[in-house]
Amino acid sequence: PYHGRRMGTPLAPAAAVRRLASGPPPGAVALAGDEPFLQEEVAAALRARLAGAAREAWDGEEESAPPPAALSEGTLFEERTLVEVRRADPWVARHKDALAEWLAAPPPGRHLALHLERYDARTAVARALEGGGGWHVSCRRPWASPPPWEKGRAAWDHDLGAWVRARAKSAYGKRISGPAAHLLIQRAGQPMGV
């Protein structure tokens, strides 16, 4: 299904949180990138949207993590289930064929959140995820300086500063200037969860 964006184009974490607040949750979400704070922010919104659903957490690095077939198994008393696979890259690699089959048509009431370091839109798993109505959310760490190929930009004009300004407004109802956001980043450091 088409969801207002090109296949392979990731959602920003803030956009995913907004969609979860106002619409139905997807069957699967790939939270891909190197910023755990952004992954957790989207995962928390998904958990809130699926309040009351049975929840399971799997560790994708553990060989004992169940295969994708277990995703279709319901619980006796819950009609909705959310499974979060943390550190999912090895689990996806081990079960890529079965996972692609499940992602192409997730059963109603079954939801999957994959916490990934990398997401390759060219793979069968990625094509199945997006073809089955799932979301790819880019949770990469924003840059804390302007890109070197954009000469003439102010030192405070960068992705992380824009994120701090947007976060101050959405989470706290406060406006903050670009230079003030840059100063805050310089003082607090770059971990986003601070």
Side-chain angles (χ1 to χ4, degrees):
Y2 179 71
H3 295 282
R5 60 189 174 81
R6 258 184 18 245
M7 292 247 324
T9 303
L11 282 172
V17 168
R18 282 192 305 274
R19 284 187 182 195
L20 286 167
S22 62
V29 178
L31 305 169
D34 58 355
E35 182 50 62
F37 181 81
L38 295 176
Q39 288 185 347
E40 186 52 37
E41 187 173 49
V42 178
L46 181 60
R47 288 190 296 268
R49 187 71 173 116
L50 292 169
R55 289 201 301 241
E56 294 183 37
W58 301 349
D59 183 345
E61 290 187 349
E62 297 292 325
E63 290 290 330
S64 62
L71 295 169
S72 297
E73 299 169 2
T75 63
L76 185 59
F77 301 107
E78 302 291 338
E79 61 184 50
R80 296 184 308 168
T81 303
L82 169 62
V83 174
E84 283 190 66
V85 183
R86 299 203 179 262
R87 302 184 310 172
D89 295 87
W91 185 80
V92 169
R94 281 194 309 271
H95 302 292
K96 60 185 171 208
D97 294 333
L99 181 59
E101 186 178 322
W102 189 91
L103 289 169
R110 303 294 173 255
H111 303 274
L112 173 65
L114 297 168
H115 294 254
L116 300 162
E117 288 183 22
R118 302 195 186 285
Y119 182 89
D120 185 348
R122 301 170 298 178
T123 65
V125 168
R127 288 192 305 272
L129 174 109
E130 295 185 34
W135 298 351
H136 164 210
V137 181
S138 176
C139 299
R140 71 166 184 80
R141 183 169 290 124
W143 294 100
S145 62
W149 58 87
E150 292 187 16
K151 303 286 186 212
R153 280 177 66 180
W156 54 264
D157 188 13
H158 48 74
D159 293 348
L160 187 55
W163 181 85
V164 167
R165 292 190 310 276
R167 179 75 178 179
K169 185 176 181 182
S170 67
Y172 304 105
K174 304 291 182 188
R175 290 189 176 272
I176 185 171
S177 69
H182 183 69
L183 180 61
L184 181 62
I185 293 164
Q186 299 303 311
R187 297 280 187 214
Q190 294 179 16
M192 295 181 75
V194 172

